Coordinates of all heavy atoms in Angstrom, one line a residue:
S37 N -32.1 -20.3 10.8 CA -30.7 -20.7 10.7 C -30.2 -21.2 12.1 O -30.9 -21.0 13.1 CB -29.9 -19.5 10.3 OG -28.6 -19.9 9.8
G38 N -29.1 -21.8 12.1 CA -28.6 -22.4 13.3 C -27.1 -22.3 13.4 O -26.3 -22.1 12.5
V39 N -26.6 -22.5 14.7 CA -25.2 -22.5 15.0 C -24.9 -23.7 15.9 O -25.7 -23.9 16.8 CB -24.7 -21.2 15.6 CG1 -23.3 -21.3 16.1 CG2 -24.9 -20.0 14.7
Q40 N -23.9 -24.4 15.6 CA -23.5 -25.6 16.4 C -22.8 -25.2 17.7 O -21.9 -24.4 17.7 CB -22.6 -26.5 15.7 CG -23.1 -27.1 14.5 CD -22.0 -28.1 13.9 OE1 -21.8 -29.2 14.5 NE2 -21.3 -27.7 12.9
P41 N -23.2 -25.8 18.9 CA -22.5 -25.5 20.1 C -21.3 -26.5 20.2 O -21.3 -27.4 21.1 CB -23.6 -25.8 21.2 CG -24.5 -26.9 20.6 CD -24.4 -26.6 19.1
T42 N -20.3 -26.2 19.3 CA -19.2 -27.1 19.3 C -17.9 -26.5 19.9 O -16.8 -27.0 19.8 CB -18.9 -27.6 17.9 OG1 -19.1 -26.5 17.0 CG2 -19.7 -28.8 17.5
G43 N -18.1 -25.3 20.5 CA -16.9 -24.7 21.0 C -17.0 -23.2 20.9 O -18.0 -22.6 20.8
N44 N -15.8 -22.5 21.0 CA -15.8 -21.0 21.0 C -16.3 -20.4 19.7 O -15.8 -20.7 18.6 CB -14.3 -20.6 21.1 CG -13.8 -20.8 22.5 OD1 -14.5 -20.7 23.5 ND2 -12.5 -21.2 22.5
L45 N -17.3 -19.6 19.8 CA -17.8 -18.9 18.6 C -16.7 -17.9 18.2 O -16.1 -17.2 19.0 CB -19.1 -18.1 19.0 CG -20.3 -18.9 18.9 CD1 -21.5 -18.0 19.1 CD2 -20.4 -19.7 17.6
H46 N -16.5 -17.8 16.9 CA -15.4 -16.9 16.4 C -15.9 -15.8 15.5 O -17.1 -15.8 15.2 CB -14.4 -17.8 15.8 CG -14.9 -18.7 14.7 ND1 -15.3 -18.3 13.5 CD2 -15.1 -20.1 14.7 CE1 -15.8 -19.3 12.8 NE2 -15.7 -20.4 13.5
L47 N -15.0 -15.0 15.1 CA -15.3 -13.9 14.2 C -16.0 -14.4 12.9 O -16.8 -13.6 12.3 CB -14.0 -13.2 13.9 CG -14.0 -11.9 13.1 CD1 -14.8 -10.8 14.0 CD2 -12.6 -11.4 12.8
G48 N -15.6 -15.5 12.4 CA -16.2 -16.1 11.2 C -17.7 -16.3 11.4 O -18.6 -15.9 10.6
N49 N -18.1 -17.0 12.5 CA -19.5 -17.2 12.8 C -20.2 -15.9 13.0 O -21.3 -15.7 12.5 CB -19.6 -18.0 14.1 CG -19.0 -19.3 14.2 OD1 -18.3 -19.7 15.1 ND2 -19.2 -20.1 13.2
Y50 N -19.5 -14.9 13.6 CA -20.1 -13.6 13.8 C -20.4 -12.9 12.5 O -21.5 -12.5 12.3 CB -19.3 -12.8 14.8 CG -19.8 -11.4 15.1 CD1 -21.0 -11.3 15.8 CD2 -19.1 -10.3 14.6 CE1 -21.5 -10.0 16.0 CE2 -19.6 -9.0 14.9 CZ -20.8 -8.9 15.6 OH -21.3 -7.6 15.8
L51 N -19.4 -12.7 11.7 CA -19.5 -11.9 10.5 C -20.3 -12.6 9.4 O -21.1 -12.0 8.7 CB -18.1 -11.5 10.0 CG -17.3 -10.5 10.8 CD1 -15.9 -10.3 10.2 CD2 -18.1 -9.2 11.0
G52 N -20.1 -14.0 9.3 CA -20.7 -14.7 8.3 C -22.2 -15.0 8.6 O -23.0 -15.2 7.6
A53 N -22.5 -15.2 9.8 CA -23.9 -15.6 10.1 C -24.6 -14.7 11.1 O -25.6 -14.1 10.8 CB -23.8 -17.1 10.7
I54 N -24.0 -14.5 12.3 CA -24.8 -13.9 13.4 C -25.2 -12.4 13.0 O -26.3 -12.0 13.3 CB -24.1 -14.0 14.7 CG1 -24.0 -15.5 15.1 CG2 -24.9 -13.3 15.8 CD1 -23.2 -15.8 16.3
F57 N -28.1 -12.6 11.0 CA -29.3 -13.0 11.7 C -29.9 -11.7 12.3 O -31.2 -11.6 12.3 CB -29.0 -13.9 12.9 CG -28.4 -15.3 12.6 CD1 -28.2 -15.7 11.3 CD2 -28.1 -16.2 13.6 CE1 -27.6 -16.9 11.0 CE2 -27.5 -17.4 13.3 CZ -27.3 -17.8 12.0
V71 N -27.9 -25.7 17.4 CA -28.2 -27.0 16.8 C -27.3 -28.1 17.6 O -26.3 -28.6 17.1 CB -28.0 -27.0 15.3 CG1 -29.2 -26.3 14.6 CG2 -26.7 -26.4 14.8
H74 N -26.8 -31.5 15.9 CA -25.7 -31.5 15.0 C -24.3 -31.6 15.6 O -23.4 -32.3 15.1 CB -25.7 -30.2 14.1 CG -26.7 -30.2 13.1 ND1 -26.6 -30.9 11.9 CD2 -28.0 -29.6 13.0 CE1 -27.7 -30.7 11.1 NE2 -28.5 -29.9 11.8
Q78 N -20.0 -35.1 15.5 CA -18.5 -35.1 15.3 C -18.0 -35.9 16.5 O -18.7 -36.3 17.5 CB -17.9 -33.7 15.4 CG -18.4 -32.9 14.2 CD -17.6 -31.7 13.9 OE1 -16.4 -31.7 13.6 NE2 -18.2 -30.5 14.1
V82 N -14.3 -33.2 19.8 CA -14.6 -31.9 19.1 C -15.6 -31.1 20.0 O -15.5 -30.0 20.2 CB -15.1 -32.1 17.7 CG1 -15.6 -30.8 17.1 CG2 -14.0 -32.7 16.8
Q142 N -18.3 -31.1 3.0 CA -18.1 -30.9 4.5 C -17.9 -32.3 5.1 O -17.1 -32.5 6.0 CB -19.3 -30.2 5.1 CG -19.0 -30.0 6.6 CD -20.0 -29.1 7.3 OE1 -20.1 -27.9 7.0 NE2 -20.8 -29.7 8.2
K146 N -14.6 -33.2 7.2 CA -14.7 -33.5 8.6 C -14.4 -35.0 8.9 O -13.8 -35.3 9.9 CB -16.1 -33.2 9.2 CG -16.3 -31.6 9.2 CD -17.3 -31.1 10.2 CE -17.1 -29.7 10.3 NZ -18.2 -28.9 10.8
Y161 N -25.9 -35.6 8.3 CA -26.0 -34.3 8.8 C -26.8 -33.4 7.9 O -27.7 -32.7 8.3 CB -24.6 -33.7 9.0 CG -24.4 -32.3 9.5 CD1 -23.7 -32.1 10.7 CD2 -24.7 -31.2 8.7 CE1 -23.5 -30.8 11.1 CE2 -24.5 -29.9 9.1 CZ -23.9 -29.7 10.3 OH -23.7 -28.4 10.8
P178 N -30.1 -17.5 6.2 CA -28.8 -16.8 6.1 C -27.7 -17.8 6.7 O -27.8 -18.3 7.8 CB -29.0 -15.6 7.1 CG -30.2 -16.0 8.0 CD -31.0 -17.1 7.3
V179 N -26.6 -18.0 5.9 CA -25.5 -18.8 6.3 C -24.2 -18.3 5.7 O -24.2 -17.5 4.8 CB -25.7 -20.3 5.8 CG1 -26.7 -21.1 6.7 CG2 -26.1 -20.3 4.3
G180 N -23.1 -18.8 6.2 CA -21.8 -18.6 5.6 C -21.7 -19.4 4.3 O -22.4 -20.3 4.0
D181 N -20.6 -19.1 3.5 CA -20.4 -19.7 2.2 C -20.2 -21.2 2.3 O -20.6 -21.9 1.4 CB -19.1 -19.0 1.7 CG -18.8 -19.5 0.3 OD1 -19.6 -19.3 -0.6 OD2 -17.7 -20.2 0.2
D182 N -19.7 -21.7 3.5 CA -19.4 -23.1 3.6 C -20.7 -24.0 3.6 O -20.6 -25.2 3.4 CB -18.6 -23.4 4.9 CG -19.3 -22.9 6.1 OD1 -19.9 -21.8 6.1 OD2 -19.3 -23.6 7.1
Q183 N -21.8 -23.3 3.8 CA -23.1 -24.1 3.9 C -23.9 -24.1 2.6 O -25.0 -24.7 2.5 CB -24.0 -23.5 5.0 CG -23.4 -23.7 6.4 CD -23.1 -25.2 6.8 OE1 -24.0 -26.0 6.4 NE2 -22.0 -25.5 7.4
K184 N -23.3 -23.5 1.5 CA -24.0 -23.4 0.3 C -24.5 -24.8 -0.3 O -25.6 -25.0 -0.7 CB -23.0 -22.8 -0.7 CG -23.6 -22.4 -2.0 CD -22.7 -21.5 -2.8 CE -23.3 -21.1 -4.1 NZ -22.6 -21.4 -5.2
A226 N -18.4 -10.7 4.4 CA -17.5 -11.7 5.0 C -18.2 -13.1 5.1 O -18.4 -13.6 6.1 CB -17.1 -11.2 6.4
T227 N -18.5 -13.6 3.9 CA -19.2 -14.9 3.9 C -18.2 -16.0 4.1 O -18.7 -17.2 4.4 CB -19.9 -15.1 2.6 OG1 -19.0 -15.0 1.5 CG2 -21.0 -14.1 2.4
R228 N -16.9 -15.8 4.0 CA -15.9 -16.8 4.3 C -14.7 -16.2 4.9 O -13.8 -15.8 4.2 CB -15.6 -17.6 3.0 CG -14.9 -18.9 3.2 CD -14.7 -19.6 1.9 NE -14.2 -20.9 2.1 CZ -14.9 -22.0 2.4 NH1 -16.2 -21.9 2.4 NH2 -14.4 -23.2 2.6
V229 N -14.7 -16.1 6.3 CA -13.5 -15.6 7.0 C -12.5 -16.7 7.1 O -12.9 -17.8 7.5 CB -13.9 -15.0 8.4 CG1 -12.7 -14.5 9.1 CG2 -15.0 -13.9 8.2
M230 N -11.3 -16.4 6.8 CA -10.2 -17.5 6.8 C -9.5 -17.5 8.1 O -9.4 -16.5 8.9 CB -9.3 -17.3 5.6 CG -10.0 -17.1 4.3 SD -11.2 -18.4 3.9 CE -10.2 -19.7 3.3
S231 N -8.8 -18.6 8.3 CA -7.9 -18.8 9.5 C -6.8 -17.7 9.5 O -6.3 -17.4 8.5 CB -7.3 -20.2 9.4 OG -6.1 -20.2 10.2
A237 N -7.4 -21.8 4.7 CA -8.4 -22.6 5.4 C -9.4 -21.7 6.1 O -9.1 -20.6 6.5 CB -7.6 -23.4 6.5
K238 N -10.6 -22.2 6.2 CA -11.7 -21.4 6.8 C -11.4 -21.2 8.3 O -11.0 -22.2 9.0 CB -13.0 -22.1 6.6 CG -14.2 -21.8 7.4 CD -15.4 -22.6 6.9 CE -15.7 -23.7 7.9 NZ -16.8 -23.4 8.9
M239 N -11.7 -20.1 8.9 CA -11.7 -19.9 10.4 C -12.7 -20.9 10.9 O -13.9 -20.9 10.5 CB -12.0 -18.5 10.8 CG -11.8 -18.2 12.2 SD -12.1 -16.5 12.7 CE -10.6 -15.7 12.1
S240 N -12.3 -21.7 11.9 CA -13.2 -22.7 12.4 C -13.0 -22.9 13.9 O -12.0 -22.7 14.5 CB -12.8 -24.0 11.7 OG -13.4 -25.1 12.3
K241 N -14.2 -23.3 14.5 CA -14.1 -23.6 16.0 C -13.2 -24.7 16.3 O -12.6 -24.8 17.4 CB -15.5 -23.9 16.5 CG -16.6 -22.9 16.3 CD -17.8 -23.4 17.1 CE -19.1 -23.0 16.4 NZ -19.6 -24.0 15.4
S242 N -13.2 -25.7 15.4 CA -12.5 -27.0 15.8 C -11.0 -26.9 15.3 O -10.4 -27.9 15.5 CB -13.2 -28.2 15.1 OG -13.4 -27.9 13.8
D243 N -10.5 -25.8 14.8 CA -9.1 -25.8 14.5 C -8.3 -25.9 15.8 O -8.6 -25.1 16.8 CB -8.8 -24.4 13.8 CG -7.4 -24.4 13.3 OD1 -6.4 -24.8 14.0 OD2 -7.2 -23.9 12.1
Ligands
AQP425 N1 -15.1 -18.9 8.7 C1 -16.3 -18.6 8.5 N2 -16.7 -17.5 7.7 C2 -18.0 -17.1 7.6 N3 -19.0 -17.8 8.1 C3 -18.7 -18.9 8.8 N4 -19.5 -19.8 9.4 C4 -18.7 -20.8 10.1 N5 -17.4 -20.5 9.8 C5 -17.4 -19.4 9.0 C6 -21.0 -19.8 9.5 O1 -21.3 -19.8 10.8 C7 -22.6 -20.5 11.0 C8 -22.6 -21.4 12.1 O2 -21.6 -22.4 11.8 P1 -21.6 -23.8 12.6 O3 -21.2 -23.6 13.9 O4 -23.0 -24.4 12.5 O5 -20.8 -24.8 11.7 P2 -19.5 -24.7 10.9 O6 -19.7 -24.1 9.6 O7 -19.0 -26.1 10.9 O8 -18.6 -23.8 11.8 P3 -17.2 -24.0 12.3 O9 -16.9 -22.8 13.1 O10 -16.2 -24.3 11.2 O11 -17.3 -25.2 13.3 P4 -16.6 -26.6 13.4 O12 -15.2 -26.3 13.7 O13 -17.3 -27.3 14.5 O14 -16.8 -27.2 12.1 C9 -22.9 -21.1 9.6 O15 -23.8 -20.3 8.9 C10 -21.6 -21.0 8.9 O16 -21.7 -21.0 7.5

Side-chain angles (χ1 to χ4, degrees):
S37 198
V39 174
Q40 295 185 76
T42 37
N44 290 321
L45 278 189
H46 52 72
L47 189 63
N49 300 131
Y50 178 66
L51 293 176
I54 297 174
F57 296 1
V71 288
H74 282 281
Q78 298 195 65
V82 174
Q142 182 171 294
K146 291 204 165 154
Y161 180 114
V179 281
D181 181 64
D182 58 319
Q183 295 300 322
K184 188 166 182 240
T227 56
R228 194 175 189 85
V229 178
M230 308 310 277
S231 157
K238 165 179 105 96
M239 188 178 282
S240 168
K241 298 189 214 90
S242 52
D243 190 315

